């Protein structure tokens, strides 16, 4: 896959790859797929290439640079696409999807400031990292076809319990498709007092074993 990442666009992480793997496992219908918070377009493009679909993939992001980056990568990889700029699901009024695959930012504000992930772009997902994903969970049913599915990550560097509470309120069928534990980035693990403070407030959760700090990503499918 030919992938270019331009300035001020989020660089894909291990969570992005885990989301791609989970999506490929879940997606049965090769049409009506939305890559929400597309960044450089890696999730939607990877799904299109792996599933060998000739149907259009839909992309959106609040960032103008991200939409431009996705356009470049879609053209370079010769996939059919429709790209819209806008906040969360707002650009998709009157659209219905079989799958909404979301990689929208969901990290607690204080963690994003010291992490390596948001040096070139903004997080803006709130103090506990839940603002965007809860908005998506609460509104996604309006944009899903019957039996449609929402696929997205929950990272333990956000308020996981709060997100799950909203998820259970909106969806009956909820499954964890993929799970992975990662070593904490050095720039974050150095701030042990901040991590302990946020964990005590139940804003984030992490594990410490043999001096190694780790956090977790779960990929959820809700329908």
């Amino acid at each position: 896959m030919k992938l270019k990442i331009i300035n001020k666009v989020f660089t894909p992480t291990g969570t992005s790859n885990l989301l791609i793997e989970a999506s490929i496992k879940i997606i049965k219908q090769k049409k009506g797929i939305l890559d929400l918070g597309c960044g450089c377009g890696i999730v939607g493009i990877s799904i299109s290439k792996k599933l060998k679909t000739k149907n259009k993939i839909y992309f959106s992001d609040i960032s103008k640079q991200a939409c431009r980056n996705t356009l470049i990568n879609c053209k370079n990889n010769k996939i059919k696409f429709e790209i819209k700029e806008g906040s969360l699901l707002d650009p998709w009024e009157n659209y219905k999807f079989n799958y909404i695959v979301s990689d929208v930012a969901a990290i607690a504000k204080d963690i994003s400031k010291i992490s390596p992930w948001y040096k070139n772009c903004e997080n803006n997902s709130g103090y506990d990292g839940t603002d965007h994903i809860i908005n998506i969970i609460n509104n996604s049913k309006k944009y899903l076809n019957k039996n449609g599915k929402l696929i997205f990550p929950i990272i333990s560097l956000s308020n996981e319990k709060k997100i799950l509470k909203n998820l259970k309120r909106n969806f009956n069928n909820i499954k964890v498709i993929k799970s992975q534990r990662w070593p904490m980035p050095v720039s974050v693990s150095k701030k042990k007092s901040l991590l302990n403070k946020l964990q005590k407030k139940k804003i984030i959760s992490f594990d410490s074993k043999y001096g190694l700090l780790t956090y977790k990503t779960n990929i959820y499918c809700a329908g």
Side-chain angles (χ1 to χ4, degrees):
M1 184 171 67
K2 298 174 184 177
L3 190 70
K4 179 179 181 179
I5 301 173
I6 65 177
N7 190 34
K8 296 186 178 180
V9 174
F10 183 77
T11 300
T13 65
T15 290
S16 305
N17 290 329
L18 204 66
L19 180 61
I20 291 165
E21 291 172 7
S23 299
I24 290 165
K25 186 176 179 181
I26 287 295
I27 292 173
K28 305 301 179 187
Q29 297 185 62
K30 297 182 182 181
K31 62 181 180 179
I33 300 167
L34 170 62
D35 178 353
L36 184 62
C38 57
C40 66
I42 187 173
V43 174
I45 294 169
S46 296
I47 290 169
S48 177
K49 302 283 270 186
K50 290 282 188 181
L51 296 179
K52 298 180 180 177
T53 178
K54 294 182 180 178
N55 295 300
K56 184 190 292 185
I57 303 290
Y58 299 84
F59 299 86
S60 65
D61 201 291
I62 195 171
S63 161
K64 186 184 292 291
Q65 292 94 334
C67 292
R68 184 160 60 89
N69 200 165
T70 295
L71 175 65
I72 293 167
N73 287 327
C74 284
K75 287 183 175 179
N76 285 344
N77 287 278
K78 298 178 180 177
I79 73 162
K80 292 181 180 178
F81 61 89
E82 182 173 341
I83 303 169
K84 287 183 178 284
E85 179 187 339
S87 176
L88 305 178
L89 289 159
D90 289 351
W92 302 108
E93 192 69 31
N94 300 321
Y95 280 71
K96 291 278 189 177
F97 302 99
N98 293 319
Y99 304 95
I100 297 174
V101 184
S102 173
D103 200 13
V104 172
I107 299 286
K109 182 179 179 180
D110 289 341
I111 299 298
S112 70
K113 285 179 179 178
I114 58 174
S115 81
W117 305 311
Y118 294 97
K119 287 183 177 179
N120 297 320
C121 57
E122 294 187 36
N123 176 4
N124 292 331
S125 55
Y127 178 64
D128 62 358
T130 67
D131 287 3
H132 296 328
I133 190 57
I134 286 178
N135 184 300
I136 292 165
I137 289 168
N138 289 344
N139 290 287
S140 58
K141 274 191 173 181
K142 293 186 292 186
Y143 299 87
L144 285 169
N145 287 320
K146 185 179 179 181
N147 300 321
K149 291 178 170 56
L150 172 65
I151 306 168
F152 70 100
I154 297 181
I155 301 170
S156 66
L157 298 177
S158 63
N159 191 333
E160 189 172 7
K161 187 176 285 188
K162 183 177 175 182
I163 297 169
L164 286 174
K165 183 178 178 181
N166 278 270
L167 190 63
K168 289 172 182 175
R169 189 183 298 140
N170 284 276
F171 291 93
N172 296 320
N173 190 2
I174 301 165
K175 293 179 181 177
V176 176
I177 307 303
K178 288 272 185 180
S179 186
Q180 179 72 48
R181 188 159 286 281
W182 318 94
M184 197 79 77
V186 174
S187 60
V188 179
S189 62
K190 284 180 179 179
K191 305 292 185 179
K192 190 69 183 290
S193 60
L194 173 64
L195 292 172
N196 286 333
K197 175 185 172 183
L198 293 173
Q199 179 152 264
K200 188 175 181 180
K201 289 184 174 181
K202 299 182 179 179
I203 300 298
I204 67 168
S205 64
F206 64 93
D207 284 342
S208 178
K209 192 172 184 180
Y210 306 122
L212 178 67
L213 303 184
T214 62
Y215 67 99
K216 183 176 64 175
T217 298
N218 285 327
I219 308 296
Y220 281 85
C221 177

